Amino acid sequence: MSTVVNHNVAVAPENVGEAPRPPWVLAFTVTVIAIAFVALVKWYQHTFSWSVGLDSFSDDFQIYWMRIFYAQIILLPVLGTIGAVWLWLTRDRDIMNLPARDELGRFYAMFSILVVAAVVLISALGLLTEADAAWHQVVIRDTDFTPTHIFLFYLGVPAGLAGLAMAWIWVHTRLPYFANRVSMPLSLAIIGFMCAGPVVAFNEWAHTFFYAEELFGAPVHWFFVLAGFFLVFLIGFVIQCLQRMYELSRVYSLEEVEKEMGLSR
Amino acid sequence: MERENHRLVRQVLLVVLMWALFMPVVFAHGEIAQMAGIRMRTVHWFDTKIEPTQVKVNDIVTVRGKFMVSGHWPDYVAKPEEWVFLNIGVPGPVFVRMDATVNGMPQYQSTAFKRGEFYEYEVKMKARVPGEWHVHPLINVWEAGPISGPARFVQITGSKDDFVNTATSPRLE
Amino acid sequence: MAIQIEAGNKADVDRTPRGNAVISVKEQMQAWRNADLFFFPLISVLIGGAAVFLCALTVGDWSYWMDWRDRRWWPLVTPLLLLALPAVATYAFWRYFKLPVAATGLALGFWLSQIVSRYVNFHVFTAFPMNWVMPEVWIGAAVVLDAVLLITRSFALTGLVGGMLFGLLFSAMNWPVVAPMHMPVLLGDTVMTLADYMGFQYIRTAMPEYVRIIEAGTLRTFGTHVAPVSAFVSGFFAILVYYVFVWIGSKGSRPSWLGKLV
């Protein structure tokens, strides 16, 4: 499609303030912090996996690994629930009257968050998954809570679920385009990710009872693929956002602009 | 206070005693997590020798010993007549395996062990990554997973950069 | 950026923007440029991440270890799985933006993520030599796929020609990485490839030799031509994979709504 530009527009009035801009600096800072956090996780994994992570029966394993596991598995759902409830209770009751400029700004903010989430996602899916492969193919598995699982499953899944739940509520209460209805692609992406919980449980059960080999492409792992595959629905969600941003960022006519801005010639 | 001190001394003594008892054979790969049936009724290891235990990078460490494949292999564990692989339990490729024999014959690929038979094995490894590593002989049985033997700690000193591993292709000879 | 608006959505009538977000052509262009800046890297990274995950859990073992890269299974299954998510993203990029760049973008993100991961996880974390755990490169095959779409402007023809080429070119494009590993080496009196030899040498405690899924079959019938034959078969299947996943892409990228939750 070709670019649509309405040329029936004069020079902009000067006293309406700046158009909303994406929070580039903030997004960049948060991305750097997120990468630093992933690096911290990897540093911890590299440092303590070989020294105290080989024997789940040792006291050191209980201190260095199981404490992290318990902290994650308790803190992340609690924080996620608090965040989700807070986002719901502080929702905008008059969301349909949100000025268009604020709405565009909110879309920019949301895209910045998505970029950070995407960076974390590719780190978790790429780095932590392959760390899991590398670890389990060279050592004897003796627990469900191995040093790589503690970060991949018990940090990645609860953190992802908490983040996605909060994102769902934020999107449907802060953006007029999404209010009073449900975005199917976003919901399906979240439902797919929620399947990761039962899939982790099934995986551990399989490894405990009947699956002794560490073949990574084994059929017991294919359910993870299905859960991960639902991420493609995020494309549909992004298309929804872009449709509205297109709507918001079109200049229709100068008269309409001036009327809306309360200006007169 | 005095009572607590006594308790502390007792605990320290107990730990030292346990350490002394278990020092020669160490458990550090979580092999105690294996099912009793797998530990007791599958492969019986004996005369295991892992030496030397202090080496430099590029030195050879030999793992040798004997094992008996139990005639009373549990029904619920996959059978060793299908696929087995004589392996070494180490934390990653800190050693490079140069040669492996079972009953004096080369054992580079997967094989089968018969129940009720007795085997003698020897594996030669070249030290690669400095550190203190836990080494044990191990048999991977298809669908049953790793069955590990007794272990020793082996200390490797030197620098990883000095490690050399060469191979010559018959085509280039 | 320009996006096609789905007209006639009744629920959208009440949702006309309250006022104008931009008041000049300059601001409008700036807003569109911002959306462009977000969209392309975002989708590449998101779907690239999903692709890394998908491939790790299906054909990961062929990708991690050189001694898994045989002439039969690796050229057959790896391209099929690699093609899935680029096909999904291709639909979104082409249908909404007429941009034939999705496969290339994904391949770049995928390769970057893989090379970092192999270095960090397999070389630094578990101390394998880097040439033993090198990831596959399929940027070239992705460029070909996008180029075919650009030339033919049709999903049907891209599947037929591009899908076939993708399967066909994959193992050939990876040959420089794999070829040195196929040199013969003697261990005792056994002839091994260098890959087999390194698989024996570099100890993988929980990954014994018998787990390898390689070259099951007699192979003697086809001699040295077995890799091209596998690549051809992969190409045929890739055509089907491309069509199926473009269809999934059409479902996944549809901006659909649910009017009522309960």
Side-chain angles (χ1 to χ4, degrees):
Chain A
M1 281 199 45
S2 59
T3 307
V4 179
V5 182
N6 192 333
H7 293 284
N8 186 20
V9 167
V11 184
E14 282 172 11
N15 57 345
V16 273
E18 292 261 311
R21 282 169 187 281
W24 293 122
V25 178
L26 187 70
F28 181 75
T29 316
V30 179
T31 307
V32 168
I33 292 171
I35 290 172
F37 179 73
V38 173
L40 181 75
V41 164
K42 282 303 288 174
W43 170 81
Y44 192 92
Q45 200 170 51
H46 284 216
T47 312
F48 295 109
S49 286
W50 298 113
S51 55
V52 294
L54 284 166
D55 185 3
S56 65
F57 283 72
S58 69
D59 292 342
D60 282 343
F61 192 92
Q62 300 299 319
I63 294 165
Y64 285 91
W65 288 105
M66 291 313 280
R67 282 185 186 174
I68 288 197
F69 167 73
Y70 291 127
Q72 286 172 176
I73 212 75
I74 294 166
L75 274 182
L76 289 170
V78 168
L79 287 178
T81 313
I82 291 172
V85 169
W86 178 76
L87 278 174
W88 178 254
L89 293 178
T90 56
R91 68 188 184 277
D92 189 347
R93 311 268 172 158
D94 192 25
I95 188 65
M96 287 304 191
N97 287 324
L98 188 75
R101 283 210 160 200
D102 292 355
E103 196 182 341
L104 189 63
R106 284 185 187 189
F107 271 112
Y108 286 151
M110 191 201 66
F111 270 100
S112 311
I113 296 166
L114 260 181
V115 167
V116 178
V119 169
V120 174
L121 190 88
I122 200 168
S123 316
L125 291 185
L127 271 179
L128 296 181
T129 306
E130 291 207 347
D132 192 53
W135 175 259
H136 284 131
Q137 297 192 351
V138 299
V139 303
I140 301 172
R141 185 194 292 251
D142 74 329
T143 172
D144 292 331
F145 308 114
T146 60
T148 49
H149 279 185
I150 283 174
F151 288 133
L152 176 63
F153 292 158
Y154 307 107
L155 172 67
V157 174
L161 276 181
L164 281 170
M166 288 197 279
W168 194 91
I169 293 173
W170 191 89
V171 163
H172 286 94
T173 55
R174 263 53 169 195
L175 296 171
Y177 194 54
F178 290 82
N180 299 332
R181 57 178 172 176
V182 175
S183 163
M184 277 297 276
L186 183 62
S187 307
L188 284 171
I190 293 174
I191 287 167
F193 200 87
M194 278 162 79
C195 292
V199 170
V200 167
F202 171 76
N203 180 61
E204 297 311 321
W205 177 77
H207 275 291
T208 308
F209 283 96
F210 64 85
Y211 193 66
E213 307 299 344
E214 296 291 349
L215 178 67
F216 216 62
V220 287
H221 289 159
W222 292 354
F223 297 97
F224 283 111
V225 176
L226 279 181
F229 198 83
F230 272 66
L231 283 173
V232 302
F233 283 107
L234 283 178
I235 300 180
F237 170 69
V238 172
I239 300 282
Q240 277 177 335
C241 296
L242 290 180
Q243 284 185 338
R244 178 61 162 188
M245 285 166 81
Y246 175 67
E247 218 23 40
L248 285 170
S249 57
R250 264 177 81 179
V251 177
Y252 292 100
S253 72
L254 188 61
E255 283 80 11
E256 198 177 317
V257 173
E258 287 182 336
K259 211 173 90 191
E260 286 293 335
M261 292 292 173
L263 302 168
S264 56
R265 252 173 229 251
Chain B
M1 189 66 196
E2 201 180 332
R3 208 185 158 83
E4 274 184 13
N5 275 345
H6 280 190
R7 214 162 88 194
L8 189 73
V9 168
R10 271 212 305 278
Q11 279 172 349
V12 168
L13 272 176
L14 191 68
V15 166
V16 168
L17 191 67
M18 282 178 73
W19 178 244
L21 273 176
F22 289 104
M23 186 111 124
V25 179
V26 284
F27 298 101
H29 269 163
E31 46 271 43
I32 38 178
Q34 289 190 327
M35 267 196 309
I38 287 184
R39 270 187 289 121
M40 306 294 288
R41 288 192 173 166
T42 53
V43 179
H44 305 308
W45 305 86
F46 56 103
D47 286 355
T48 307
K49 286 195 174 58
I50 299 167
E51 55 196 10
T53 50
Q54 297 270 336
V55 291
K56 289 200 188 77
V57 169
N58 288 324
D59 287 356
I60 298 289
V61 172
T62 309
V63 182
R64 67 164 74 84
K66 298 160 189 167
F67 63 84
M68 168 95 184
V69 182
S70 174
H72 298 280
W73 194 277
D75 288 343
Y76 49 84
V77 180
K79 305 295 177 282
E81 278 94 352
E82 292 274 332
W83 282 103
V84 294
F85 185 67
L86 175 69
N87 209 341
I88 294 291
V90 275
V94 291
F95 291 95
V96 165
R97 178 168 33 204
M98 304 308 286
D99 196 12
T101 58
V102 173
N103 288 348
M105 284 177 283
Q107 197 70 85
Y108 309 136
Q109 301 287 342
S110 304
T111 183
F113 291 143
K114 287 198 178 113
R115 275 172 285 176
E117 294 282 313
F118 164 84
Y119 295 93
E120 223 175 318
Y121 66 91
E122 186 178 288
V123 179
K124 284 198 168 70
M125 308 184 301
K126 201 184 205 183
R128 179 168 173 250
V129 181
E132 193 170 20
W133 309 114
H134 192 239
V135 179
H136 39 171
L138 181 137
I139 291 173
N140 295 99
V141 180
W142 185 59
E143 292 282 287
I147 297 171
S148 56
R152 298 285 185 284
F153 273 110
V154 176
Q155 194 169 23
I156 304 176
T157 51
S159 163
K160 196 188 165 197
D161 297 338
D162 298 337
F163 176 75
V164 280
N165 185 18
T166 52
T168 314
S169 173
R171 277 193 182 177
L172 301 176
E173 273 175 354
Chain C
M1 180 199 71
I3 190 163
Q4 196 173 326
I5 300 291
E6 305 284 344
N9 192 339
K10 194 173 167 291
D12 286 352
V13 174
D14 304 333
R15 291 169 200 275
T16 43
R18 294 287 180 269
N20 290 60
V22 294
I23 49 167
S24 67
V25 174
K26 200 178 151 222
E27 280 189 11
Q28 169 182 298
M29 294 315 288
Q30 190 57 48
W32 291 5
R33 219 164 278 137
N34 288 337
D36 280 348
L37 283 173
F38 277 122
F39 179 74
F40 185 66
L42 181 68
I43 296 298
S44 293
V45 172
L46 261 181
I47 306 304
V52 168
F53 187 64
L54 184 141
C55 289
L57 288 161
T58 47
V59 292
D61 307 274
W62 282 278
S63 178
Y64 302 149
W65 314 112
M66 276 295 173
D67 62 342
W68 275 70
R69 295 201 188 163
D70 64 338
R71 294 170 294 171
R72 186 176 177 206
W73 284 105
W74 175 63
L76 177 71
V77 292
T78 307
L80 299 183
L81 269 298
L82 286 175
L83 186 57
L85 283 170
V88 169
T90 296
Y91 180 87
F93 272 74
W94 185 252
R95 159 76 173 73
Y96 293 100
F97 308 103
K98 282 286 181 282
L99 285 172
V101 291
T104 312
L106 248 72
L108 278 169
F110 190 97
W111 180 79
L112 193 69
S113 161
Q114 289 272 282
I115 202 96
V116 170
S117 167
R118 290 306 153 79
Y119 182 77
V120 171
N121 290 319
F122 284 83
H123 185 63
V124 179
F125 188 40
T126 50
F128 286 97
M130 196 58 198
N131 64 350
W132 172 245
V133 292
M134 213 57 182
E136 299 103 338
V137 181
W138 50 286
I139 299 170
V143 170
V144 169
L145 191 71
D146 281 340
V148 172
L149 180 66
L150 178 65
I151 294 164
T152 63
R153 300 177 159 259
S154 141
F155 287 127
L157 286 174
T158 306
L160 210 58
V161 181
M164 180 48 124
L165 284 174
F166 193 91
L168 206 53
L169 291 174
F170 172 76
S171 60
M173 283 179 166
N174 278 286
W175 187 240
V177 179
V178 179
M181 290 287 163
H182 283 211
M183 291 290 279
V185 176
L186 281 179
L187 175 60
D189 284 345
T190 311
V191 181
M192 291 181 163
T193 63
L194 188 61
D196 290 335
Y197 185 53
M198 285 179 81
F200 172 74
Q201 284 198 317
Y202 290 84
I203 301 168
R204 290 163 292 183
T205 299
M207 195 67 182
E209 191 273 335
Y210 58 75
V211 176
R212 282 199 291 171
I213 302 172
I214 56 156
E215 310 215 331
T218 57
L219 295 179
R220 289 174 192 274
T221 326
F222 296 105
T224 51
H225 302 125
V226 71
V229 167
S230 302
F232 251 116
V233 176
S234 180
F236 285 126
F237 282 122
I239 296 172
L240 190 67
V241 168
Y242 187 82
Y243 289 157
V244 168
F245 280 90
V246 161
W247 177 78
I248 290 176
S250 76
K251 300 290 164 203
S253 58
R254 197 163 63 181
S256 51
W257 299 97
L258 198 66
K260 272 172 80 174
L261 191 55
V262 278

